[in-house]
Amino acid sequence: MMKRSLSLVCFVMALVAYPGAHAQQQPNAYAISSAHELATQAGVTIFEQGGNAYDAAVAVSAALAVVEPASSGIGGGGFWMLQSHDDALSVMVDGREVAPAAAHRDMYLDDEGNVDRDLATNGGLAAGIPGAPAAWVHIAEKYGTLPLSVLLQPAIDLAANGFPADEKYVTLLAMREEVMNRWPETAEIFMPEGNVPSVGDIIVQADLANTLRTLAERGHDGFYTGEIAQRLVDGTRAAGGIWTMEDLANYSVKERDPITTEYRGYELISAAPPSSGGITIAQILNLIEPYELSELTRVERTHLLAEAMRRAYRDRALYLGDTDFVDVPMDVLLSKAYAAGMRTSLRLDQATPSSMLANDPDVRPEGNNTTHFSLIDDEGNMVSATLTVNLLYGAAYVPPGTGVLLNNEMDDFSAKPGAPNAFGLVGFEANAIEPYKRMLSSMSPTIVRSPQRVAVIGTPGGSRIITMVLLGLLDFIDGNGPQSWVSLPRFHHQYLPDEISIEPDSMSAAEIEALEALGHTVTERDRTWGNMHGVMWDLMSNELEAAHDPRWPSGGAVVVPVTD
Ligand code: DON
């Protein structure tokens, strides 16, 4: 009798907590974690006006575009995972940049057939056709409840009235000082008298405020046709680019089904192609699923994960690209059987050199920046969004009179088979440049759920995004909250270069030695990486938690109760 009533209690609890089964459960609070307090505040303002998670996502994205220009912007793109608690909505809004029509596979090769890195990353030719403004309009019109003009107002105010430069803004700008001074139209806005501003200086972006106003008034067409489009095209062409009015007019957002997989009772919902994130994370999870991670030492766990990362990143290099252009064998790559086959070469007592998995071109070290935010509203609607202009301050070029700092996303294509990009990533045919194709991304906005708990998680960090999200979600599955996920020490393997890179002081000498004895090369970097933002909903206690990465203190994480 005793046993019976206990199991009845358990059954009822599971029913109450299961997402979808009891869709009426609501957190009665909202939570936001973004890379900038002012962007988080923009989201709070929208929630206070009665907006939902999707409204807030537009406001946070647009505000980040103003206050964090190094990382994302109206001249860039991103992926927005929109997920309702009851599963009525589960979609990835793909606002990724596309190659202009005149792009071709060899466009960055010099006379000797080598990739011209400067051409691929700086100035007009480096920029893909932006997707961010189209995505903001799309999300607002299709899923929001407030007018676009209301959602963009916080960003317009921040651009028109300015915001104080913080430590991060100044540090990242200094890293691009030379390129930001190349074009007077960029320098005029970001480099007063050719100098990096000081902390506390007010950064005003008057042209950007006007462009945002036009977008607010005219919607999609306000950016992609008419006067602003003409200025973008003229400016880009004057700076070595190849954009046309038709390229802008042809841009459209795509809706994609997220990549989903089950891992030990948890459901992963993550980014679909043209991101490699969801597939690569799912492949790593499938590879490690039979192992009891909690029974492994830290060295064994690092080794196992590095071996799984190596294999999944190899597939990324070989097979992944824009599915509108190439056939990606998604069903195979995501199947448990494929993982089982791959696992047969994975040894716990020895590293497999990447050269044994395929040939081994040279690689270069990492690049930097992008942004992510996670949020959830009081009804349990969630947004996990990762946004980018690619490298710091994108292509460092602002077409005159637009305030639009252009991305340098073209470098995410494989400019030459096997030649590494800024993140050391290699690619082949699947990610070759083609007109209107979307370049392969690592951005991995993700949601992970069990009947008890939900995590909304993501981070910038180029090729390392995938492994950071993986480590974060495994920590969530281990029972920890967002403060722990975002603070974890990080390590990474991406097939090539054939090394485990680790954050400074994150492993003992003995652990490094033990990994080397297994056949790994361990490279301790001199800088940390990533800027993770996580939100968790505990369905059992009905509580929300939010945390931003301690590596960048300027982040803003809030949980605000909602009372009727
Ligand atoms: O889409 C991608 O994968 C890259 N453009 C992201 C760049 C990035 O995260 C830079 N941050 N460190």
Side-chain angles (χ1 to χ4, degrees), residues 216 296 372 407 499:
L296 302 180
H372 176 88
N407 68 82
E499 63 178 19

Side-chain angles (χ1 to χ4, degrees), residues 96 367-370 388 390 409 412 423 441-443 460-462 465:
R96 184 68 165 167
N368 231 314
N369 247 284
T370 284
T388 190
N390 196 25
E409 222 71 58
D412 276 348
F423 302 106
S441 173
S442 302
M443 293 189 289
I465 292 173

Side-chain angles (χ1 to χ4, degrees), residues 32-265:
I32 311 174
S33 180
S34 90
H36 202 293
E37 280 174 347
L38 293 171
T40 297
Q41 185 52 48
V44 169
T45 303
I46 295 308
F47 279 134
E48 281 172 351
Q49 292 177 68
N52 65 12
Y54 316 124
D55 290 310
V58 174
V60 174
S61 304
L64 282 171
V66 178
V67 298
E68 221 201 356
S71 302
S72 72
I74 192 168
F79 302 121
W80 289 254
M81 298 288 292
L82 313 183
Q83 177 75 42
S84 66
H85 181 46
D86 65 1
D87 288 348
L89 178 64
S90 183
V91 72
M92 180 178 102
V93 174
D94 167 1
R96 184 68 165 167
E97 300 88 337
V98 301
H104 58 94
R105 56 190 306 136
D106 297 336
M107 63 190 275
Y108 298 113
L109 300 187
D110 63 19
D111 294 345
E112 273 137 42
N114 298 317
V115 179
D116 182 332
R117 301 285 323 141
D118 192 59
L119 220 50
T121 51
N122 300 315
L125 199 62
I129 305 299
W136 302 344
V137 175
H138 179 82
I139 295 168
E141 286 177 353
K142 191 158 176 192
Y143 302 109
T145 58
L146 299 175
L148 185 64
S149 55
V150 171
L151 306 183
L152 296 184
Q153 196 57 49
I156 293 170
D157 292 343
L158 287 165
N161 305 330
F163 67 94
D166 62 16
E167 195 74 46
K168 184 179 174 207
Y169 180 93
V170 169
T171 309
L172 299 185
L173 192 51
M175 291 166 80
R176 292 280 273 166
E177 187 170 354
E178 181 270 316
V179 197
M180 295 295 275
N181 270 322
R182 270 193 213 173
W183 292 280
E185 42 275 51
T186 310
E188 198 181 297
I189 303 168
F190 294 104
M191 307 289 289
E193 284 156 38
N195 300 318
V196 174
S198 307
V199 171
D201 285 0
I202 301 298
I203 312 298
V204 174
Q205 299 171 76
D207 285 342
L208 177 58
N210 282 333
T211 296
L212 285 165
R213 280 190 201 105
T214 308
L215 187 69
E217 282 159 22
R218 295 192 48 224
H220 182 102
D221 289 348
F223 187 91
Y224 290 92
T225 65
E227 206 175 318
I228 288 178
Q230 192 64 59
R231 284 186 195 159
L232 289 169
V233 168
D234 292 347
T236 307
R237 295 183 81 90
I242 49 175
W243 289 13
T244 64
M245 287 296 277
E246 213 188 349
D247 290 341
L248 283 162
N250 280 341
Y251 186 85
S252 70
V253 159
K254 304 267 172 145
E255 292 210 337
R256 316 271 183 195
D257 289 336
I259 296 293
T260 56
T261 194
E262 292 284 333
Y263 171 78
R264 292 184 161 242

